[in-house]
Amino acid sequence: MTTIESSRPKRLWVAAIMNILVATISIAAVAFLLLSSNPNIPESIRPGLLTTLLALGTAGLLIVASVLALLRIPFARWLMLAAAVIFFGILGFQSLAFLISPTALLPAEAAPKLWTNVIRNALEIAINVWALLSAKTTAFFSGASPNQTFKVDASGAA
């Protein structure tokens, strides 16, 4: 009996690589803020312990979950989706909360950049949902071909 294996969907590659790159940039930014001795960086924008742990934890989880999903670990599909929603959701919420805050004094050029962040984070969540909940990805994680979900029995061939 032969089982037809499906190849790794391109949409999974796209989402996983995007997740890994964005999370790596986030880790690099936090590390820069923590380790930099640049006097032009005010202490008020350096992250505290809780912020550092949250930023590094969510970014690290997103990287690990994306790699595990590429390796076809069954639970990693759902872990990657949850990590992406948490990671990108927090980033989008921060920008949106700052935009709608009545006490925030925003410079004129900041509002469009914050709206861009909100939209980008929503798109990143949408890309992950599309990549991880599609029929091709479901077939990939279940081990079947997206066009053929039955097993082929070649033992009776003449």
Side-chain angles (χ1 to χ4, degrees), residues 53-142:
L53 291 176
L54 183 64
L56 296 179
T58 56
L61 177 63
L62 186 58
I63 292 170
V64 169
S66 297
V67 170
L68 291 176
L70 285 174
L71 294 175
R72 201 181 198 172
I73 308 297
F75 72 88
R77 172 184 178 201
W78 302 109
L79 183 63
M80 180 175 156
L81 183 59
V85 168
I86 291 168
F87 180 81
F88 295 118
I90 288 172
L91 293 176
F93 177 76
Q94 285 175 335
S95 295
L96 187 60
F98 198 60
L99 275 167
I100 62 175
S101 173
T103 61
L105 300 173
L106 291 175
E109 66 274 0
K113 291 178 183 180
L114 289 170
W115 279 115
T116 302
N117 284 342
V118 170
I119 293 167
R120 187 190 72 236
N121 286 300
L123 286 173
E124 288 164 332
I125 291 171
I127 288 169
N128 276 280
V129 168
W130 166 71
L132 294 167
L133 299 182
S134 71
K136 287 183 180 183
T137 306
T138 301
F140 169 71
F141 279 100
S142 68

